[in-house]
């Protein structure tokens, strides 16, 4: 049988999924796992201080089969992952550390994600996490996709947002509501070589997304629609091979005319503007996209005409869990930088980590990171089990963005002067985290959603 260590070295989640039958399942093997941030099978060489840090986890990850043998309750904590999920997590962590980390600063300065990084994401299977194997995807679950986003964000949130949007928004929208022909046309490409983009926001429709002005006019024979309008702040737009575009096919009906279209980026009339110059997530392309008399066949409509607003609301609920994972990854990335420094640096004859004032600060942040983790993984399990999760998705997106901001700010304070320079990536995490309280629903919108659900619970 293929060992766990061998499977970790295989650079593809798709292959990993197909090897499920060969798992080593003895209780002895499971007991020997580290409940850690870095798998003991990792081939990376680390210093003792790094190993000490990485062998501490904000949440456990492996379950001992002996619990089953003693008749204990088999319902597991949400912070316990299956072997498949754990191996995907380790694979993402190892790839991010080995392949992504050396390029993070250069990509941030260049304001562009390197082509080899995008290719690596596809080669590893990270871009088709929930796409069925029959379409070339990994066929994994939602939690696995979220864990990949978290691990990538721990190194570069600019890359994790590309993966998050692609998986939780576009891929899943096609899986849920796309016709068989639309799935056959796009899912194989989305799993292997085609980046996608979610085109919703406009100059006058940010939070008020359904006030959009982009129109989709049907042809006289009903065989195609003509799209006209401009979208703003569209992530992944420079790299995208396809756009999931929301446009109003019948403005007289208001939001009930909104329809979703899969638009090939190479179609005549699609124009991607220059990337915005942003505070953070600089390697992630964020551009205006103009649709100038773009003709789209009716076969490229996602779902039904006029139901785009429902699809948008539903898919963004999932996306908010992805943003929470990104923010958790940022918070952990800050810890990965700050804690070794606190353990190594001595002032007044004492390591910084041993001052009680410092202990209280990083203990508090670690507690909040763990709380955000548990909330996120719980929302994942609710989603996977078809339990309503709208309130929980808003809660975790709200809370995780707050924790990331706090962790990023505190880590710079802990690092002192060096934290304020570009010698370390702490300042980048500080810049990257701010958008977490803005995109895919501002914090105020999350509070409104939460309040609405609470009032319903008490009626």
């Amino acid at each position: 049988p293929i060992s766990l260590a061998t499977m970790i070295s295989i650079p593809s989640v798709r292959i990993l999924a197909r090897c499920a039958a060969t798992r080593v399942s003895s209780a002895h093997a499971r007991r020997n796992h580290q409940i850690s941030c870095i798998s003991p099978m990792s081939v990376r060489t680390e210093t003792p201080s790094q190993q000490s840090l990485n062998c501490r986890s904000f949440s456990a990850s492996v379950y001992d089969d002996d619990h089953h043998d003693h008749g204990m309750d088999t319902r597991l904590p949400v912070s316990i992952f299956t072997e498949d999920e754990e191996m995907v997590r380790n694979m993402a962590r190892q790839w991010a550390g080995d392949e992504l980390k050396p390029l993070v600063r250069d990509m941030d300065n260049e304001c562009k994600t390197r082509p080899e990084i995008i290719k690596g994401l596809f080669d590893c299977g990270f871009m088709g996490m929930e796409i069925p194997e029959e379409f070339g995807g990994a066929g994994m679950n939602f939690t696995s996709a979220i864990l990949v986003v978290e691990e990538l964000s721990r190194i570069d949130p600019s890359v994790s947002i590309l993966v998050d949007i692609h998986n939780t928004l576009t891929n899943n929208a096609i899986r849920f509501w796309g016709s068989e022909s639309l799935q056959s046309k796009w899912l194989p490409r989305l799993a292997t070589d085609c980046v996608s983009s979610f085109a919703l926001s406009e100059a006058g429709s940010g939070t008020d997304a359904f006030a959009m002005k982009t129109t989709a006019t049907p042809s006289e024979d009903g065989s195609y629609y003509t799209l006209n309008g401009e979208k703003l702040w569209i992530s992944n737009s420079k790299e995208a091979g396809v756009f999931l575009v929301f446009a109003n096919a019948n403005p007289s009906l208001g939001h009930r005319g909104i329809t979703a279209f899969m638009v090939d980026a190479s179609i005549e009339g699609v124009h991607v503007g220059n990337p915005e110059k942003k505070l953070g997530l600089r390697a992630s392309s964020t551009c205006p996209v103009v649709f100038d008399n773009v003709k789209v066949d009716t076969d490229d409509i996602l779902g039904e005409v006029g139901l785009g607003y429902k699809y948008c609301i539903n898919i963004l609920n999932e996306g908010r869990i992805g943003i929470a994972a990104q923010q958790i990854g940022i918070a952990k990335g800050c810890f990965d930088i700050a804690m070794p420094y606190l353990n190594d640096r001595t002032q007044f004859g004492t390591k910084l980590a041993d001052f009680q004032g410092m202990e209280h600060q990083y203990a508090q942040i670690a507690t909040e990171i763990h709380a955000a983790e548990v909330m996120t993984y719980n929302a994942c399990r609710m989603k996977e089990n078809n339990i309503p999760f709208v309130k929980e998705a808003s809660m975790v997106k709200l809370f995780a963005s707050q924790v990331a901001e706090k962790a990023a700010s505190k880590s710079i304070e802990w690092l002192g002067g060096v934290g304020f320079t570009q010698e370390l990536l702490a300042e980048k995490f500080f810049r990257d985290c701010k958008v977490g309280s803005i995109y895919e629903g501002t914090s105020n919108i999350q509070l409104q959603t939460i309040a609405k659900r609470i009032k319903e619970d008490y009626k």
Side-chain angles (χ1 to χ4, degrees):
I2 300 176
S3 69
L4 294 179
T6 301
M7 283 191 289
I8 286 296
S9 69
I10 298 175
S12 172
V13 176
R14 294 186 294 275
I15 296 176
L16 184 152
R18 290 195 291 271
C19 292
T22 68
R23 298 287 186 264
V24 177
S25 58
S26 70
H28 175 72
R30 290 177 192 254
R31 281 196 300 270
N32 286 337
H33 277 290
Q34 295 282 348
I35 299 179
S36 64
C37 296
I38 294 294
S39 165
M41 292 84 75
S42 172
V43 299
R44 284 191 290 175
T45 301
E46 298 174 299
T47 65
S49 64
Q50 288 173 320
Q51 290 174 346
S52 177
L53 171 68
N54 288 332
C55 285
R56 293 176 175 85
S57 177
F58 294 95
S59 65
S61 55
V62 181
Y63 183 66
D64 192 333
D65 271 357
D66 283 354
H67 288 152
H68 294 282
D69 300 335
H70 293 90
M72 295 178 67
D73 193 335
T74 58
R75 291 175 296 180
L76 305 181
V78 293
S79 55
I80 300 294
F81 304 115
T82 67
E83 277 194 60
D84 283 350
E85 292 164 353
E86 185 63 22
M87 283 188 288
V88 167
R89 186 191 204 191
N90 287 334
M91 183 183 295
R93 182 178 295 127
Q94 183 168 331
W95 181 86
D98 293 346
E99 306 297 329
L100 176 58
K101 189 173 184 178
L103 298 176
V104 171
R105 181 61 75 184
D106 288 341
M107 294 195 303
D108 188 61
N109 291 335
E110 296 166 2
C111 297
K112 181 180 180 180
T113 299
R114 296 274 184 89
E116 60 265 35
I117 291 300
I118 296 176
K119 182 179 184 301
L121 294 171
F122 280 110
D123 289 346
C124 288
F126 298 148
M127 298 294 274
M129 291 300 298
E130 294 184 84
I131 292 176
E133 288 187 77
E134 64 187 278
F135 295 113
M140 306 297 280
N141 62 4
F142 184 71
T143 297
S144 296
I146 292 302
L147 291 173
V148 168
V149 171
E150 179 187 316
E151 291 303 326
L152 297 180
S153 184
R154 199 165 179 167
I155 300 298
D156 191 352
S158 293
V159 173
S160 75
I161 192 59
L162 183 151
V163 175
D164 177 42
I165 290 171
H166 187 85
N167 278 285
T168 65
L169 299 185
T170 313
N171 288 0
N172 280 353
I174 297 174
R175 288 198 310 115
F176 296 158
W177 304 296
S179 63
E180 289 186 7
S181 63
L182 207 58
Q183 291 183 5
S184 297
K185 178 179 179 179
W186 285 113
L187 288 182
R189 289 198 58 195
L190 292 170
T192 56
D193 64 9
C194 180
V195 176
S196 65
S197 185
F198 190 81
L200 174 65
S201 297
E202 299 180 8
S205 58
T207 297
D208 186 10
F210 299 151
M212 67 181 64
K213 300 299 182 183
T214 298
T215 59
T217 306
S219 62
E220 292 186 1
D221 63 1
S223 63
Y224 67 89
Y225 282 76
T226 301
L227 273 58
N228 281 285
E230 181 178 9
K231 300 293 184 177
L232 290 182
W233 313 298
I234 305 305
S235 299
N236 298 357
S237 47
K238 271 297 182 189
E239 300 82 11
V242 64
F243 292 93
L244 175 51
V245 182
F246 293 85
N248 204 318
N250 190 344
S252 66
L253 296 178
H255 68 275
R256 296 185 183 279
I258 294 174
T259 303
F261 299 84
M262 292 298 294
V263 180
D264 193 314
S266 64
I267 290 180
E268 183 179 358
V270 177
H271 306 288
V272 179
N274 294 325
E276 300 286 351
K277 296 179 180 179
K278 308 192 299 293
L279 170 70
L281 300 185
R282 291 177 178 173
S284 169
S285 65
T286 306
C287 311
V289 182
V290 175
F291 299 93
D292 183 12
N293 290 319
V294 176
K295 291 179 171 52
V296 183
D297 291 341
T298 54
D299 289 341
D300 291 319
I301 293 174
L302 180 75
E304 299 180 29
V305 174
L307 292 184
Y309 74 99
K310 286 189 175 181
Y311 306 147
C312 181
I313 291 172
N314 287 333
I315 208 66
L316 283 174
N317 287 327
E318 295 192 15
R320 286 165 182 162
I321 302 175
I323 298 301
Q326 182 204 41
Q327 298 298 297
I328 291 169
I330 289 174
K332 289 183 178 181
C334 292
F335 253 62
D336 292 341
I337 295 169
M339 289 307 300
Y341 180 87
L342 297 181
N343 278 319
D344 291 340
R345 182 164 173 78
T346 298
Q347 292 286 279
F348 307 104
T350 302
K351 291 185 182 299
L352 296 184
D354 292 335
F355 284 101
Q356 187 182 62
M358 291 302 303
E359 290 176 329
H360 291 181
Q361 291 183 52
Y362 60 74
Q364 179 65 41
I365 298 292
T367 300
E368 293 179 20
I369 292 174
H370 179 62
E373 277 190 308
V374 173
M375 291 172 68
T376 299
Y377 305 149
N378 183 62
C380 287
R381 297 308 188 197
M382 292 177 73
K383 186 267 177 187
E384 289 171 349
N385 287 281
N386 297 315
I387 300 170
F389 63 93
V390 173
K391 180 179 69 176
E392 288 73 16
S394 287
M395 283 180 167
V396 72
K397 199 258 185 190
L398 169 71
F399 185 65
S401 66
Q402 294 170 345
V403 172
E405 283 195 33
K406 188 173 180 180
S409 180
K410 282 295 183 182
S411 68
I412 291 177
E413 293 180 20
W414 300 340
L415 293 165
V418 71
F420 197 67
T421 71
Q422 291 194 354
E423 182 177 341
L424 300 175
L425 289 173
E427 59 83 28
K428 180 182 181 297
F429 283 125
F430 184 74
R431 292 185 283 109
D432 288 343
C433 73
K434 186 57 192 176
V435 74
S437 62
I438 300 172
Y439 60 6
E440 296 200 28
T442 66
S443 290
N444 282 342
I445 287 296
Q446 306 314 317
L447 289 168
Q448 280 189 274
T449 301
I450 296 164
K452 180 181 178 181
R453 291 300 190 277
I454 291 172
K455 286 188 287 186
E456 290 175 351
D457 291 342
Y458 281 88
K459 284 184 177 178

